[in-house]
Amino acid sequence: MNEPSSIHSITRSPSTYLRLLLIATGVTLAMIFLRQPNADIVDFLNNQAKNLTVLYAILVGFIAAEVLSRRRKMDEHIALELNKVRRMYHLSLHLAKANPGLQAWFEQMKESIKFYLKSFEKRRFLEYEKGNPLFRKITYTIYSLPLEKMKYGNDMFASLLSAAASATEAREYIRQTLYQQYVGKFAWMTLLLVSITFGSFIILSTPEDAPHRFAAGIIVFNLFLVLQLIYEYGRINKIKSRAYNKLYRQDLISLGLNGNKE
């Protein structure tokens, strides 16, 4: 089982290495073309760089905390949704067993859950919202339960309604998180601008000899490496998308709705 490592995968994405190469190229060019000015300006830049150190740390900490928090909450809501979908299936199954007249209703419920979970095999997880009609079919099936045929299991039906409500809320959170992303463009633009300014001050205040320049280049590269890490962790690439989809596939299998025996 490799879902956790795939969901949080960064190093397996080719685009990650392309961005790292672009960062390294940009830093190298900056080290070549940004030359050290006179001593008075260097002292000024050193002082300003110290001020920017605090600002950079605050911004990075804030955005990193936001990304990690929202990512963790989305993982929790996905787990909650899948748990409630399984619960809806088992509650419906036992309602049908307790009330033979509900067998046809249960078959409809089972097919609705099956089609919803299978839909994740055909689309990227970022297209999560497209599953809304299929999930609504599940809830509408619950609401259409023929109460006149239900002689036993009122508590189970109440639990079924509660599970459907929890799953609906979880879906809404996931949908909103994917739609709104993790951090807004303005926040990223602000952090990028501060990072570029900070990096420029470091380079401009660095002596011209190769060892100092090389060390400064490594430091500036690391500044942007941190941004890359935050960005990649919050971004859902193809590998992460497949890993999320696989969780829904596993729910399908655990319920025995994949066409195979449990």
Side-chain angles (χ1 to χ4, degrees):
M1 303 288 288
N2 63 349
E3 284 73 16
S5 60
S6 296
I7 288 174
H8 300 283
S9 173
I10 293 176
T11 56
R12 292 172 59 188
S13 174
S15 61
T16 300
Y17 294 101
L18 177 59
R19 277 187 282 273
L20 290 177
L21 178 60
L22 291 175
I23 291 172
T25 302
V27 171
T28 301
L29 291 175
M31 297 304 301
I32 294 173
F33 293 106
L34 292 179
R35 314 309 299 179
Q36 187 181 37
N38 61 59
D40 291 338
I41 296 179
V42 169
D43 289 339
F44 172 78
L45 292 175
N46 277 326
N47 291 329
Q48 298 308 313
K50 292 176 183 178
N51 296 330
L52 281 174
T53 300
V54 177
L55 179 59
Y56 178 82
I58 292 173
L59 284 173
V60 168
F62 170 76
I63 293 181
E66 179 70 10
V67 168
L68 293 173
S69 175
R70 296 191 68 180
R71 181 62 181 275
R72 183 179 65 253
K73 287 181 180 179
M74 191 179 80
D75 289 349
E76 291 172 353
H77 280 80
I78 290 173
L80 175 62
E81 181 200 355
L82 292 173
N83 175 273
K84 295 305 179 182
V85 167
R86 291 193 301 272
R87 182 164 174 77
M88 286 190 287
Y89 175 84
H90 291 302
L91 286 169
S92 300
L93 173 62
H94 285 87
L95 271 174
K97 287 182 177 180
N99 302 275
L102 297 179
Q103 189 59 41
W105 170 83
F106 170 68
E107 290 299 322
Q108 184 180 357
M109 184 70 177
K110 181 171 72 172
E111 287 300 301
S112 298
I113 292 176
K114 176 181 177 180
F115 286 134
Y116 172 68
L117 294 175
K118 282 183 69 69
S119 69
F120 286 89
E121 297 177 347
K122 303 175 182 179
R123 62 173 182 269
R124 296 182 306 150
F125 193 74
L126 287 173
E127 299 174 320
Y128 181 85
E129 192 169 8
K130 292 184 178 180
N132 287 352
L134 291 174
F135 188 81
R136 276 198 297 270
K137 188 174 181 181
I138 296 175
T139 57
Y140 289 166
T141 301
I142 294 174
Y143 302 149
S144 66
L145 182 147
L147 294 175
E148 69 278 3
K149 296 181 180 180
M150 190 177 73
K151 298 180 180 179
Y152 308 99
N154 288 328
D155 290 342
M156 277 194 291
F157 182 58
S159 297
L160 179 59
L161 291 173
S162 176
S166 296
T168 301
E169 291 175 3
R171 274 190 53 83
E172 181 60 20
Y173 181 88
I174 296 166
R175 188 189 69 81
Q176 287 291 335
T177 300
L178 291 173
Y179 175 73
Q180 296 175 354
Q181 298 301 312
Y182 290 91
V183 180
K185 292 181 180 179
F186 181 76
W188 278 116
M189 183 182 70
T190 301
L191 182 53
L192 184 61
L193 181 60
V194 171
S195 301
I196 291 173
T197 304
F198 187 24
S200 299
F201 283 7
I202 291 174
I203 294 172
L204 288 170
S205 59
T206 301
E208 298 292 341
D209 58 282
H212 284 89
R213 285 268 151 176
F214 179 77
I218 295 296
I219 292 172
V220 175
F221 177 81
N222 286 333
L223 294 180
F224 290 95
L225 183 62
V226 171
L227 302 191
Q228 174 70 14
L229 175 64
I230 297 172
Y231 173 75
E232 290 291 348
Y233 193 85
R235 172 175 169 265
I236 298 180
N237 57 33
K238 291 182 180 179
I239 295 172
K240 295 176 188 177
S241 179
R242 287 196 294 268
Y244 277 126
N245 287 351
K246 195 170 184 178
L247 295 178
Y248 288 80
R249 171 68 177 172
Q250 287 175 346
D251 235 31
L252 190 73
I253 294 172
S254 71
L255 294 174
L257 300 179
N258 60 321
N260 302 321
K261 293 183 179 180
E262 296 185 60

